[in-house]
Amino acid sequence: MEKESGITQSLERIAAALEELNDRLEELHEEEEFDDFPELLAANDWLQELDEHSVQDVEVLDSFLAERQMILTKLPEKNRYDLLFDRVSEMIGKYYDAVRPILDAIKANQSRGKAFTISLKGVRQRTITVQTKFCNFLYENSMLQEYVYRRSPINTIKVRPSTIGIVQSLLSGHWMERYVKLCIERVFREFSNADKASYEIFTNVAVRFPDGANFELDTLVFINEAVYWIECKSGEIGSYVRKYATISQDYKFDLSRTFVVLAEASAKQIHSIQKEYGINAVNLKDFPSTIRSVFVKELLPNLTM
């Protein structure tokens, strides 16, 4: 019996070693598919000097709001960590399905800075590759207090969230407004030579309505004479869409140029929203191609798509 038990233990160790080797080989193969993940840089490499001359044309925004008897109360200031935060936002936007379990756990534990462990048992190697690269990037740039990845056969990720306010805010949902802005800017760069094209993008626009109520417009895009209002929801939709539709109608926003980008909506939900409220509802995955198609028509009206 002892001999059989010893053989069994040896076979189990061999099987575990082969599994770990196979996982590592798969990981190395998968890493080739993620070239757009940035190299791990020290936090200081992301610091940027604020350009005092890159001032937006706020007059166009003030004029638009004044026509609707709305008052601009605040615009976000430029942050010397914007490049870093933009890169994190792009990671999340592109690989949301993979990193969502990490984000959900961070949001649930970040108020106390409590460490948590996620099991990777049964998770596809592609997803593990994304999650570990994402967590490592956050940790290397001081956006996590702790990160430990234990390979097969344990297969776990341990994370202790940051207690820094701006990091918590970013990972709780503000990444989405940044990602949307990056997608829009990419379109404008692609068609930067379009004739007579002018544009401005404003995010997190805090306003006061005529009745004194305060509200924040996630994204306003001015293209020539057109104005687009884009709202982002990374969590539950709830009654938000109804509120957006009401604001759009009450304050004469162009409903055909009003969008809500949803990170966790099914095709059925999106169809239902569009049918009931007339708002352009878009899944996060489809937003880059959708907004490109829409904006190309504004930038190049004579172009046949």
Side-chain angles (χ1 to χ4, degrees):
M1 289 292 292
E2 290 182 5
K3 185 177 182 180
E4 290 182 1
S5 176
I7 292 173
T8 299
Q9 290 176 359
S10 296
L11 290 173
E12 288 177 349
R13 285 197 297 270
I14 292 171
L18 288 173
E19 182 181 352
E20 182 175 359
L21 176 60
N22 182 64
D23 286 349
R24 183 54 184 154
L25 289 172
E26 286 187 21
E27 185 176 309
L28 289 171
H29 174 70
E30 296 257 357
E31 284 177 358
E32 297 175 0
E33 301 181 17
F34 297 101
D35 291 337
D36 52 351
F37 264 78
E39 295 180 3
L40 301 179
L41 302 176
N44 287 341
D45 291 330
W46 289 103
L47 296 179
Q48 63 182 124
E49 295 297 327
L50 299 183
D51 183 0
E52 297 179 358
H53 300 289
S54 58
V55 179
Q56 290 181 291
D57 180 10
V58 182
E59 287 187 11
V60 67
L61 175 61
D62 282 332
S63 176
F64 174 80
L65 296 176
E67 290 174 4
R68 290 153 182 78
Q69 297 182 307
M70 298 161 67
I71 299 172
L72 175 65
T73 58
K74 187 177 181 180
L75 282 175
E77 296 180 359
K78 287 185 177 295
N79 189 305
R80 64 199 302 244
Y81 295 102
D82 278 339
L83 289 177
L84 171 61
F85 289 175
D86 283 350
R87 186 60 62 88
V88 171
S89 300
E90 191 159 22
M91 282 182 174
I92 299 174
K94 285 185 176 180
Y95 301 101
Y96 181 72
D97 288 343
V99 302
R100 178 183 171 188
I102 306 294
L103 292 176
D104 288 346
I106 287 175
K107 283 190 284 187
N109 294 280
Q110 67 182 7
S111 63
R112 294 173 294 170
K114 182 181 177 181
F116 61 86
T117 300
I118 292 179
S119 173
L120 301 177
K121 295 283 188 181
V123 178
R124 292 176 59 224
Q125 186 58 46
R126 174 185 173 91
T127 301
I128 293 175
T129 301
V130 174
Q131 291 180 347
T132 53
K133 281 182 174 289
F134 177 64
C135 287
N136 197 50
F137 184 83
L138 294 181
Y139 179 70
E140 290 291 329
N141 287 284
S142 304
M143 299 178 74
L144 293 177
Q145 294 187 75
E146 180 183 359
Y147 162 62
V148 178
Y149 170 40
R150 303 187 71 181
R151 299 180 184 275
S152 178
I154 298 175
N155 262 6
T156 59
I157 288 176
K158 181 181 179 182
V159 166
R160 186 182 300 276
S162 171
T163 55
I164 300 172
I166 56 174
V167 174
Q168 292 183 344
S169 178
L170 178 76
L171 299 180
S172 294
H174 280 186
W175 62 266
M176 201 168 176
E177 289 97 329
R178 285 181 176 271
Y179 178 66
V180 162
K181 183 180 180 181
L182 290 170
C183 292
I184 294 169
E185 288 176 336
R186 190 171 291 115
V187 177
F188 290 145
R189 284 197 302 271
E190 183 181 354
F191 296 95
S192 59
N193 295 324
D195 291 339
K196 299 178 182 178
S198 62
Y199 67 89
E200 289 284 355
I201 308 171
F202 297 94
T203 59
N204 305 115
V205 182
V207 300
R208 183 175 297 118
F209 291 138
D211 63 2
N214 294 311
F215 189 74
E216 185 175 277
L217 303 164
D218 284 347
T219 307
L220 285 175
V221 185
F222 295 78
I223 309 177
N224 298 332
E225 301 301 318
V227 182
Y228 286 81
W229 174 29
I230 305 173
E231 286 293 313
C232 305
K233 285 302 298 176
S234 59
E236 291 295 322
I237 302 170
S239 60
Y240 289 102
V241 176
R242 183 181 295 107
K243 185 173 185 177
Y244 300 153
T246 300
I247 291 173
S248 185
Q249 293 169 353
D250 289 352
Y251 294 98
K252 295 181 173 57
F253 284 74
D254 186 340
L255 204 59
S256 69
R257 292 188 171 107
T258 300
F259 284 76
V260 56
V261 187
L262 305 167
E264 301 169 17
S266 65
K268 184 177 180 181
Q269 286 176 303
I270 287 175
H271 176 74
S272 176
I273 289 170
Q274 293 181 153
K275 183 178 180 180
E276 183 172 356
Y277 299 107
I279 287 179
N280 297 287
V282 185
N283 190 291
L284 180 66
K285 286 182 179 179
D286 300 326
F287 180 74
S289 58
T290 299
I291 208 65
R292 182 185 184 280
S293 176
V294 170
F295 284 175
V296 165
K297 292 176 182 177
E298 294 283 1
L299 295 168
L300 302 172
N302 298 320
L303 181 67
T304 302
M305 298 295 292

